Amino acid sequence: MSAPVIRSLPPCGVRRVIGAAGLTVCLAVFGASPAPASPALSSTSATSATSASGRGSLVLIGGGLKDDNTQIYGEIIRRAGGPRHARIGILTAASVPASQDPHAGDPEQCSNAECNGAYYANLFRRHGAADAQWIPVDLDHLANADSDAVVAQVNSMSGFFFGGGDQYRYVTSLLNGTRHTDSKVLAAIRAKLADGAVIAGSSAGAQIASGPDMLTGGDSYPALREGSKPGYFDDPSVPGHLPQGGFGFLRSGLLDTHTGTSGREGRSLRLAADTGHDIVYALDEDTALVVDNPGSRRERVRVLGRQGVSVLDLSRASAGTGTHGWHLHNARYSYLTSGDRYDPLTGATATPHKRRLLPSAHAPVPANEDVFYSPANPDGTPYSLRGTARALAASTQRTATASSYERGPRFTVTLTEPARYRPLTGDGHTPHTLLNLRLDIDAH
């Protein structure tokens, strides 16, 4: 079969209501009211994790994980005990169930939880895992979430991989409705993490690791214009979030995925500002955020893969709404690449094997009129904000501006280098890692 794809959205777990503009929104598992708009950001700091002694680790991938990414698959297997001992449990409840897949009987075309589970299990075995098995919990097998036999299967594993799809299906499958409490299977996985297991996930499988205010969808422009909305929406362009969050494996910052290829920095910044979070980890595709000791004061993160992770810091930022629309001032933008490390407690970074790069370009930074890679622009460019940031880093200029493609209002992003700024390079000529650029957004 081909790599798993997603064909449809899940049903709400308990009930549906009709929200603003006739949009269908799921409210079954949250029960929180929208955060009040305020120019001052509240503080949900990186130190708010509650676990005292996290032992396990996370490998959270921004989607688009290539089958041949031996670096990331190898890291998961190594953390699960190495090729001789790694036993990987595959969870794919974010996919449609077989009962909703018209190609369920065709191994070459199927795309559902069961066949995607078999696909990933085979892939992990090809990459050297001693064993990999599908954990049979999805919308067709909800009762299995509290099955003692499936719990025993989970307890025999040394690592877990959550596949992509729609993270709300994980909420529906593995959490208990309005109580938002763990099923037996999720409780067993959580206990395995605390005992040293690795939990990995890609796309929705990474997003479900989020703590409070897990993103459920949305494009950057409507998020900047209208703000984030609590709930799960049938329209994936609506900026929604679950106030009670996902599984809460990672709480030191918000998570976003497919960042550069979908221009999602804008929606991440707006959600963080609206909900009072200081840090966002915005993951690019085929790239992992590796987290040691999650939920403890010893938590540390490292980037692994072919692109990078944007760390968006709002700890000193202010936000509000003016005459023309929403604005954000004094946020910080860092772009970390493979090998870079970050301490969420202190904000310190380490960049082994990279050195400072002197700017060499004297021409102005190229104009960018689609900084968030709008789906409305057929000629847009992925990794657009990163492109402007790297062009600024390579130039002798100190400031660059870029704007949204949409104009009602138009949002302008201004990036400003700190004093004595230098990007970091791994090859001697490309600005790979960018640290602590000031980021401002204004509406016009």
Side-chain angles (χ1 to χ4, degrees):
M1 60 172 282
S2 58
V5 296
I6 306 307
R7 288 195 170 91
S8 64
L9 296 176
C12 292
V14 180
R15 65 185 176 92
R16 290 180 185 268
V17 298
I18 303 300
L23 294 168
T24 304
V25 55
C26 298
L27 296 174
V29 295
F30 352 117
S33 58
S38 171
L41 302 180
S42 63
S43 177
T44 305
S45 72
T47 62
S48 64
T50 56
S51 173
S53 58
R55 290 185 57 194
S57 59
L58 308 173
V59 180
L60 305 177
I61 303 128
L65 179 61
K66 305 297 185 188
D67 290 359
D68 64 352
N69 194 325
T70 56
Q71 189 181 35
I72 290 178
Y73 282 108
E75 183 76 10
I76 297 167
I77 291 167
R78 182 183 70 79
R79 288 171 176 267
R84 295 181 60 186
H85 304 288
R87 292 173 54 83
I88 309 296
I90 308 296
L91 294 107
T92 52
S95 299
V96 297
S99 63
Q100 297 178 24
D101 179 9
H103 303 285
D106 185 344
E108 296 301 319
Q109 296 190 63
C110 65
S111 182
N112 61 68
E114 187 168 357
C115 76
N116 290 350
Y119 176 86
Y120 280 118
N122 180 60
L123 193 54
F124 271 97
R125 288 192 291 267
R126 280 167 43 199
H127 278 282
D131 190 21
Q133 303 174 11
W134 182 50
I135 307 296
V137 178
D138 68 347
L139 295 182
D140 277 350
H141 303 89
L142 291 175
N144 282 352
D146 288 304
S147 161
D148 290 338
V150 179
V151 168
Q153 183 188 16
V154 165
N155 286 334
S156 72
M157 299 292 121
S158 57
F160 303 90
F161 179 83
F162 287 77
D166 191 296
Q167 55 267 34
Y168 189 76
R169 293 191 186 103
Y170 282 129
V171 172
T172 302
S173 302
L174 287 161
L175 286 168
N176 292 314
T178 55
R179 291 175 293 158
H180 209 75
T181 55
D182 289 358
S183 63
K184 287 184 179 180
V185 165
L186 182 56
I189 292 170
R190 196 180 302 280
K192 294 289 288 188
L193 173 65
D195 198 40
V198 58
I199 292 179
S202 182
S203 189
Q207 196 72 262
I208 195 61
S210 300
D213 306 312
M214 178 185 72
L215 276 156
T216 59
D219 295 328
S220 280
Y221 183 77
L224 293 173
R225 185 183 60 202
E226 302 159 14
S228 55
K229 300 175 175 64
Y232 172 88
F233 299 87
D234 281 348
D235 181 349
S237 70
V238 175
H241 68 280
L242 299 190
Q244 286 183 264
F247 296 160
F249 299 142
L250 180 69
R251 294 176 177 266
S252 60
L254 292 176
L255 279 167
D256 208 348
T257 57
H258 300 280
T259 299
T261 52
S262 297
R264 288 177 170 173
E265 297 93 344
R267 79 172 192 178
S268 299
L269 287 162
R270 182 68 198 256
L271 176 61
D274 285 352
T275 56
H277 289 265
D278 285 349
I279 299 296
V280 180
Y281 303 112
L283 283 58
D284 281 338
E285 292 188 353
D286 212 21
T287 303
L289 185 77
V290 180
V291 186
D292 287 302
N293 306 304
S296 78
R297 295 183 64 84
R298 295 179 292 114
E299 180 179 303
R300 300 292 184 272
V301 307
R302 176 169 60 93
V303 176
L304 188 69
R306 291 166 174 159
Q307 298 295 335
V309 172
S310 299
V311 178
L312 309 174
D313 184 345
L314 287 79
S315 60
R316 292 172 287 177
S318 62
T321 301
T323 303
H324 301 289
W326 186 79
H327 61 259
L328 175 71
H329 294 154
N330 203 30
R332 292 294 184 274
Y333 169 88
S334 295
Y335 190 78
L336 307 183
T337 54
S338 198
D340 294 343
R341 299 174 183 272
Y342 175 74
D343 181 341
L345 184 65
T346 66
T349 55
T351 56
H353 313 300
K354 293 188 177 78
R355 58 188 177 86
R356 284 156 56 99
L357 181 69
L358 291 173
S360 58
H362 299 283
V365 175
N368 183 351
E369 296 186 350
D370 187 8
V371 67
F372 297 123
Y373 189 30
S374 170
N377 181 8
D379 299 317
T381 304
Y383 300 100
S384 184
L385 176 61
R386 184 190 73 177
T388 291
R390 282 183 166 172
L392 174 63
S395 79
T396 55
Q397 291 183 239
R398 294 286 308 280
T399 299
T401 60
S403 66
S404 63
Y405 179 75
E406 295 85 354
R407 296 291 189 268
R410 178 185 187 185
F411 289 97
T412 297
V413 176
T414 302
L415 296 172
T416 305
E417 296 179 346
R420 297 179 295 280
Y421 177 77
R422 293 289 183 271
L424 294 153
T425 181
D427 61 13
H429 56 83
T430 304
H432 291 123
T433 296
L434 314 172
L435 300 178
N436 294 316
L437 292 169
R438 173 172 170 153
L439 185 150
D440 298 286
I441 299 176
D442 290 283
H444 304 279

